[in-house]
């Protein structure tokens, strides 16, 4: 049967076009086009194409673009709770577990409340997309050997992690995204984190720093969002609505799987071909990170009722899930040792 | 072709008419944006304009513009740059076109400190234009040298354009920086050779110092050069040095330059409060002119893209199924043509991503392609009608007519095309340095 | 700043022959009858006034960025506010300064044909543009900008790049304020153009 109707959406993301974060929306568009037999087509442009990256959500709400890609770390200026839906460590839940909270622990409803009520973006339908792996601690001149080393370090990170690093005593420097690599190269900042092995490699971080530290509790992954203008959403027939809803879930899983493949390859390439030295973050530094996170989160929760409500909901879910995973998953080091992957 | 795409083409055509009608260019751009935006997008177009304004207002690196403009006015008052160019002229007293060399070398040095075209064209224009006019240099060639030299900053790293372009194409920013250094120096060389050859053929274009004004001997000339150079070296130390050694960000470096110029004025005993107030006031007017124009052209580009015309052109090319060489040529020609009415940002954001898959399919070296695109986009600043460099210069050198500035710029666009062909024919110009530095 | 101070500044500047003459930069008020003349003078004086205020912000911007570089490099103690203050000052200077720039004829025109036209034709072109295009265009810009500033106010939006997180609505309000100042200056320009059109003599 011929396609009943054709919908064409102009979509802009908050990311650079080579970025994994941008590419997930490009693949989502491909999936939706295939599933709908070409009835719904999305033209995806990178951050800055129509509006600045920080404004994609507002632009969807105003109808300036039809749909957008971003993550709620971008809206911590509008309301700090955004971080809890994006990359904050969620009581020890990495983003793939946070997705569980979103779908089965009440997170999705809270996120809709955040977008539609707290931020007053009443003309926006939001989706949760593409959980990412934990984000490394970043690129340093010398390995960090203890939490003491952080004190006075000129470090660059965005969003609530700025509060956390300040809590740990770092001299957090604000540098616009476009200046991160030049600033590291010239030494205006000593250290910085970006996103993950593949994205960091594309940005050129291994060309300006060689010590790559991981793991880190600073950002335990990231969940992205797909925002659709309510007008555009309402005019879709039910089957196309279902296609969008399930394509979002399919791409979310695929993003994680693909991330395992691509990030492991990128890390190997950086270590073997680009002289990068991957260094393990000391335990006391990670403990200090979590302590600083708790202090920061408590401060915000005290000031804001909604923030506290989201935090409570996460804690309830984490109290079940984090112990479950600790009990049910055998420790990784046994397998690493047994198979000789170390 | 949809209604929006057609509107986009009409919008471009109207721009030509509107600009030549002689109404202020910034408002022509804004008015066309409102009109065509409303026809194609409804009142969403007005929101789109506000987002673009907000984007420019939030770009911290652009704070370098008022800072460098202020530095320029302070230096002009203290007569510091005039002495530097005098020193050049003295030392090269017998060489016709000595000031062109001075301008181009200063521009190249300046380009390693900043990639903000508005800042470099204005600053160099402010300082060099009066000396060139006084020395009876050819207005067109002088204006061409200043505008073309001033745009080198976008190609020679660091440069905001390269930082944005890198991730769009998927090449590392440090590598792209390295890839653009030699093409940048090649262009400087072409500019130098061109101005000198033209002055050699026709010395009237850049008259050597009259016999009476020439220094008595080489000692006098060297002394004048040293006296002229010293304050400049102090300032380069404050500006460039602070950026290159990691003391300051590019914006802070511009501030250091401004503060350094102010201190020099005090040391030279040229500081007065009325002079300071005048410099500050003129800084407001000139920065506002530059940045408001930038904002207006961003608005124009955003609506043009939102109407779908840019993507339409790119998709048309993609559908042609060209061989690899054809892909490169098509890319270069379209970027060049789009550079006439548009600035680099809308081209990089909308056009390149659509075109990128066929570049990748053709198996072309992405670093080489990026360097080619960068050289090509530098030309966009020099190609009227939306030729920002011309307007920036006009704002600080009102003695030159736009017609003269345009005709000077066109000569340098020709040199840019030659550079582009050289990088096309010899990819090593772009690829050699990154290979040496990073592999 | 009072008008007397301003004139004193001009006199002082005139004595210093190395300086460009601000008065020359200003378009002298042409032969315009009252009450129009009074309106033009008042509007132009207003643009001079906020131009002066903005010009001191340039000095503040210099001071802030230099201090920040020193704080970070020499004392390893970057401030939390320098980043936000520097883009806010820069944005305020060039946006609000657009009105003053219009008053001094500082927005660049293409003079390829314009300069050869008679003063009457020039004034006619300006009148058509201002009345039919400039005012409607800026009105919509004002309206959309006001809307954004208002919603920023409603949710107490803050900047998020730095730890400082300043309230954003005053900076967002710079957009509608710019449009408003430009429209006010536009009134003066229209009156000037109208009388130039009528008399056929350039100012
Ligand atoms: Na540069
Ligand atoms: Na152009």
């Amino acid at each position: 049967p011929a396609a009943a109707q054709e919908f064409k959406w102009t979509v802009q993301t908050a990311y650079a076009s080579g970025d994994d974060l941008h590419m997930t929306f490009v693949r989502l568009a491909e999936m939706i086009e295939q599933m709908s037999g070409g009835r719904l087509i999305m033209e995806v442009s990178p951050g800055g194409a129509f509006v600045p990256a920080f404004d994609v959500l507002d632009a969807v709400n105003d109808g300036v673009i039809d749909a957008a890609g971003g993550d709620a770390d971008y809206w911590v200026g509008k309301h700090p709770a955004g971080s809890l839906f994006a990359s904050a460590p969620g009581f020890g839940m990495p983003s793939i577990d946070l997705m569980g909270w979103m779908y089965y622990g009440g997170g999705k409803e809270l996120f809709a409340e955040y977008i539609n009520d707290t931020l007053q973006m009443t003309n926006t339908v939001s989706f949760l997309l593409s959980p990412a792996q934990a984000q490394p601690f970043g690129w340093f001149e010398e390995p960090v050997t203890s939490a003491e080393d952080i004190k006075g370090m000129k470090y660059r990170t965005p969003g609530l992690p700025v509060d956390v690093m300040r809590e740990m005593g770092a001299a957090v420097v604000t540098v616009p995204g476009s200046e991160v690599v030049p600033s590291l190269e010239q030494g205006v900042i000593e250290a910085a984190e970006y996103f993950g092995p593949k994205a960091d490699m594309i940005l050129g971080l291994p060309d300006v720093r060689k010590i790559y530290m991981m793991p880190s509790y600073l950002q335990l992954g990231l969940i992205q969002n797909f925002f659709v203008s309510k007008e555009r959403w309402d005019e879709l027939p039910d089957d196309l609505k279902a296609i969008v809803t399930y394509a979002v879930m399919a791409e979310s899983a695929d993003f994680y799987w693909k991330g395992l493949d691509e990030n492991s390859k990128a890390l190997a390439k950086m270590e073997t071909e680009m002289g990068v030295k991957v260094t393990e973050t000391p335990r006391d530094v990670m403990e200090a990170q979590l302590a600083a996170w708790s202090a920061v989160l408590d401060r915000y929760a005290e000031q804001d009722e909604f923030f506290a409500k989201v935090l409570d909901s996460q804690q309830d879910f984490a109290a079940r899930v984090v112990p479950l995973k600790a009990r049910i998953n055998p420790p990784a080091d046994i397998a690493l040792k047994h198979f000789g992957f170390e | 072709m949809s209604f929006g795409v057609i509107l986009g083409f009409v919008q471009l055509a109207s721009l030509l008419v509107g600009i030549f009608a002689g109404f202020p260019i910034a408002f022509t751009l804004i008015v066309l944006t409102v009109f065509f935006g409303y026809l194609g997008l409804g009142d969403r177009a007005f929101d789109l304009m506000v987002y673009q304004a907000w984007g420019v207002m939030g770009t911290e690196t652009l704070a370098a513009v008022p800072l460098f403009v202020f530095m320029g006015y302070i230096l002009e008052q203290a007569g510091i740059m005039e002495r530097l160019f005098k020193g050049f002229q003295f030392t090269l007293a017998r060489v016709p076109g000595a000031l062109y060399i001075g301008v181009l070398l200063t521009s190249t040095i300046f380009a390693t400190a900043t990639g903000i075209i508005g800042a470099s064209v204005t600053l160099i224009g402010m300082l060099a234009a009066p000396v060139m006019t006084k020395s009876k240099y050819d207005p067109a060639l002088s204006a061409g040298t200043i505008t073309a030299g001033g745009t080198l900053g976008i190609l020679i790293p660091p440069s905001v354009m390269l930082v944005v372009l890198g991730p769009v194409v998927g090449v590392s920013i440090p590598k792209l920086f390295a890839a653009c250094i030699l093409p940048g120096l090649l262009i400087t060389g072409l500019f130098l050779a061109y101005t000198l050859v033209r002055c050699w053929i026709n010395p009237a274009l850049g008259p050597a110092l009259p016999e009476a004004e020439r220094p008595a001997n080489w000692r006098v000339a060297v002394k004048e050069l040293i006296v002229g150079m010293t304050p400049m070296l102090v300032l380069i130390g404050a500006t460039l040095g602070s950026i290159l050694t990691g003391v300051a960000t590019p914006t802070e470096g511009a501030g250091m330059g401004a503060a350094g110029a102010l201190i020099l004025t005090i040391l030279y005993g040229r500081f007065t409060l009325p002079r300071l107030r005048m410099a500050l006031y003129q800084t407001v007017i000139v920065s506002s002119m530059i940045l408001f124009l930038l904002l207006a052209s961003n608005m124009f580009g955003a609506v043009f893209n939102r109407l779908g015309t840019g993507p339409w052109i790119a998709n048309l090319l993609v559908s042609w199924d060209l061989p690899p060489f054809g892909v490169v040529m098509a890319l270069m020609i379209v970027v060049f043509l789009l550079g006439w009415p548009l600035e680099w940002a809308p081209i990089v954001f909308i056009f390149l991503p659509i075109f990128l898959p066929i570049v990748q399919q053709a198996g072309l070296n992405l670093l080489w392609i990026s360097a080619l695109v960068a050289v090509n986009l530098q030309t966009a600043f020099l190609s009227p009608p939306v030729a920002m460099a011309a307007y920036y210069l006009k704002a600080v050198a009102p003695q030159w007519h736009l017609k003269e500035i345009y005709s000077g710029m066109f000569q340098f666009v020709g040199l840019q095309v030659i550079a582009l062909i050289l990088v096309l024919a010899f990819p090593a110009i772009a690829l050699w340095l990154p290979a040496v530095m990073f592999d | 700043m009072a008008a007397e101070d301003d004139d004193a500044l001009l006199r002082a500047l005139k004595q210093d022959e190395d300086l460009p003459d601000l008065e020359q930069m200003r378009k002298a008020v042409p032969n315009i009858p009252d009450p129009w003349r009074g309106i033009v003078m008042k509007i132009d004086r207003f643009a001079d006034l906020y131009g002066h205020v903005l010009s001191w912000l340039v000095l503040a911007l210099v001071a802030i960025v230099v201090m920040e570089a020193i704080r970070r490099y020499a004392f390893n103690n970057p401030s939390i506010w320098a980043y936000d203050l520097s883009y806010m000052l820069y944005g305020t200077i060039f946006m609000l300064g657009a009105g003053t720039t219009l008053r001094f004829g500082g927005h660049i025109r293409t003079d390829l044909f314009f300069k050869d036209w008679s003063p009457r034709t020039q004034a006619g072109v300006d009148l058509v543009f201002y009345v039919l295009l400039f005012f409607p265009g800026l009105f919509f810009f004002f309206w959309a900008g006001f809307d954004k500033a208002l919603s920023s106010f409603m949710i107490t939006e803050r900047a998020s790049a730095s730890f400082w997180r300043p309230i954003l609505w005053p900076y967002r309000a710079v957009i509608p304020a710019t449009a408003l100042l430009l429209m006010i200056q536009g009134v003066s320009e229209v009156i000037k153009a109208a009388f130039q059109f009528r008399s056929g003599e350039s100012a």
Side-chain angles (χ1 to χ4, degrees), chain A residues 10 16-19 43-52 55 57-60 62-66 154 174-179 181-183 185-189 201-205 207-208 232 273-274, chain B residues 44-45 47-48 51-52 54-56 60-61 158 160 163-164 166-175 177 243-250 252 301-302 305-307 311 315 346 348-350 353 356 437-438:
Chain A
T10 298
S17 82
D19 229 344
E43 272 181 357
V44 184
S45 295
F50 305 108
V51 300
D55 289 329
L57 173 59
D58 302 69
V60 167
D62 288 341
V64 168
I65 47 179
D66 302 316
K154 284 177 260 187
T174 314
V175 170
S178 63
E179 292 292 320
V181 169
S183 299
E185 192 164 29
Q186 280 147 10
V188 171
I189 47 177
M201 188 172 78
I202 288 178
L203 196 65
L205 287 163
D207 296 329
V208 292
R232 293 286 92 80
E273 292 172 32
M274 306 175 85
Chain B
R44 294 173 292 168
D47 291 316
L48 191 52
Y51 287 120
Q52 286 296 326
W54 187 243
V56 174
E60 189 257 0
T61 44
V160 189
V163 167
V164 172
V168 166
V169 182
V171 301
S172 145
I173 294 165
K175 279 189 187 137
F177 277 6
I243 297 171
L244 296 180
T245 55
V247 174
T249 64
E252 290 164 357
N305 275 333
R306 186 65 183 83
L307 288 172
N315 282 318
V348 170
F349 283 132
I350 298 290
L356 194 60
M437 284 174 71
F438 296 109

Side-chain angles (χ1 to χ4, degrees), chain B residues 110-116 152-159:
Chain B
F110 208 74
T112 61
T114 177
I116 310 285
L152 279 170
I154 203 86
L155 189 61
I156 296 177
S159 143

Side-chain angles (χ1 to χ4, degrees), chain A residues 1-326:
Chain A
Q5 204 172 357
E6 201 179 292
F7 299 91
K8 192 165 169 184
W9 288 355
T10 298
V11 186
Q12 189 203 299
T13 75
Y15 314 106
S17 82
D19 229 344
D20 302 351
L21 298 171
H22 174 77
M23 289 313 292
T24 193
F25 293 94
V26 173
R27 282 198 300 270
L28 178 67
E30 285 166 5
M31 282 186 188
I32 290 174
E33 184 175 342
Q34 274 181 29
M35 290 178 186
S36 68
R39 287 161 62 212
L40 174 54
I41 292 187
M42 308 195 324
E43 272 181 357
V44 184
S45 295
F50 305 108
V51 300
F54 270 91
D55 289 329
V56 288
L57 173 59
D58 302 69
V60 167
N61 200 60
D62 288 341
V64 168
I65 47 179
D66 302 316
D71 61 73
D73 272 343
Y74 274 94
W75 337 123
V76 295
K78 296 183 186 296
H79 189 286
S83 182
L84 302 176
F85 299 104
S87 71
F91 299 91
M93 289 186 287
S95 58
I96 194 156
D97 298 358
L98 211 58
M99 274 303 218
W101 167 68
M102 293 287 193
Y103 278 97
Y104 298 102
K108 210 165 63 150
E109 292 71 22
L110 284 169
F111 187 64
E113 186 183 336
Y114 175 71
I115 295 295
N116 297 329
D117 301 343
T118 312
L119 305 189
Q120 299 180 4
M121 300 287 167
T122 49
N123 190 29
T124 305
V125 179
S126 48
F127 297 89
L128 302 145
L129 182 79
S130 295
Q133 285 164 286
Q135 300 189 27
F137 193 21
W139 298 85
F140 296 81
E141 289 170 323
E142 298 289 332
V144 174
T145 55
S146 75
E148 266 315 294
D149 289 357
I150 304 290
K151 298 217 158 67
M153 178 184 283
K154 284 177 260 187
Y155 183 89
R156 193 265 179 191
T157 184
L160 284 200
V162 172
D163 303 41
V164 177
M165 287 303 283
R166 273 184 66 91
E167 186 75 26
M168 291 176 72
V172 179
V173 180
T174 314
V175 170
S178 63
E179 292 292 320
V180 173
V181 169
S183 299
L184 280 171
E185 192 164 29
Q186 280 147 10
V188 171
I189 47 177
E190 294 164 276
E193 62 87 31
Y194 184 56
F195 181 60
K198 187 185 162 219
D200 289 9
M201 188 172 78
I202 288 178
L203 196 65
L205 287 163
D207 296 329
V208 292
R209 286 289 180 280
K210 293 297 174 198
I211 304 292
Y212 195 15
M213 298 209 60
M214 56 182 72
S216 162
Y217 273 111
L218 215 50
Q219 288 168 291
L220 214 46
L222 177 72
I223 292 177
Q224 292 182 257
N225 310 119
F226 179 53
F227 298 108
V228 183
S229 141
K230 197 165 177 302
E231 265 168 65
R232 293 286 92 80
W233 180 251
D234 288 344
E235 68 194 19
L236 289 186
D238 285 345
D239 64 330
L240 283 183
K241 281 184 180 162
I243 285 174
V244 172
T245 307
Y246 296 116
V248 163
M249 292 174 88
E251 171 53 25
S252 296
D254 191 54
F255 179 80
Y256 196 82
W257 303 332
K258 206 177 170 80
L260 293 175
D261 177 49
E262 293 185 340
N263 282 319
S264 57
K265 281 180 186 155
L267 198 58
K269 185 175 175 196
M270 287 191 284
E271 280 187 283
T272 55
E273 292 172 32
M274 306 175 85
V276 169
K277 200 166 160 7
V278 176
T279 310
E280 195 180 335
T281 313
R283 224 181 148 77
D284 76 304
V285 174
M286 287 189 278
E287 282 163 1
Q289 284 178 334
L290 273 189
W293 256 121
S294 290
V296 168
L297 293 179
D298 287 350
R299 214 175 299 144
Y300 278 108
E302 246 167 61
Q303 288 163 7
D304 188 85
E305 211 174 299
F306 180 72
F307 196 97
K309 186 164 91 174
V310 176
L311 216 49
D312 283 347
S313 167
Q314 273 186 357
Q315 190 166 18
D316 287 347
F317 194 75
R320 289 187 281 126
V321 170
V322 178
L324 171 82
K325 286 192 72 177

